[in-house]
Amino acid sequence: MKRSSGQGPAQEFGDRLRRRTRERRTAAYLLVVLTAGAYLPSPLYPGYQAAFGFSDLVMTLIYATFALVSAPALLLFGPAADALGPRPVLRSSVGAAALGSACFALAEGPAWLLAGR
C-alpha cells in the first residue's frame, strides 16, 4: 500500500526528529545570545561613567535596574508564552533585546543606559 505523501513512517520520524533538533538548537542559541546581551554591557559602565560624568549612585541604579526589570519580566512573559505560544514571545524578546542594545550603542547619557537595561 502506497502512502500519498510519498514518505514512509521512518522518513516521517526522521523529519520530526530533525525539526525538533533544529528547534532545540535555535532555542539554545537564543538563550546564549539573550543572556550574553544582558550581561555584556556591564564592563562598559565605568567607561560610560567617565564619558557621561554621572555619580556612583547613578551607576548603582543602572546596575539595579536589571534586577528590578528581570524578575517581573519573567513572571509576566512566562505565562504569556503559555497563552500566546513561545514563538511570538521569543520574537518580541529578541526585538526588545535589539532595542536595548541600540540604546547602549546610541547612549548620550545615563537615561539611555537605564532604558537599555
Side-chain angles (χ1 to χ4, degrees), residues 35-80:
T35 303
Y39 294 105
L40 200 59
S42 297
L44 302 175
Y45 289 146
Y48 281 127
Q49 185 178 26
F52 300 139
F54 53 83
S55 69
D56 289 338
L57 177 62
V58 173
M59 174 79 87
T60 302
L61 288 173
I62 292 170
Y63 274 108
T65 301
F66 178 73
L68 294 173
V69 171
S70 295
L74 291 172
L75 293 173
L76 176 70
F77 290 115

Side-chain angles (χ1 to χ4, degrees), residues 4 7 18 21 31 39 46 50 52 57 59 61 65 76 78 81 84 86 91 94 101 105 107 111 113 117:
S4 62
Q7 295 182 348
R18 280 188 290 279
T21 302
L31 181 65
Y39 294 105
F52 300 139
L57 177 62
M59 174 79 87
L61 288 173
T65 301
L76 176 70
L84 302 172
R91 287 181 181 132
V94 170
S101 295
L113 301 177
R117 272 317 240 184

Side-chain angles (χ1 to χ4, degrees), residues 77-93:
F77 290 115
D82 292 338
L84 302 172
R87 285 190 177 138
V89 174
L90 275 173
R91 287 181 181 132
S92 64
S93 298

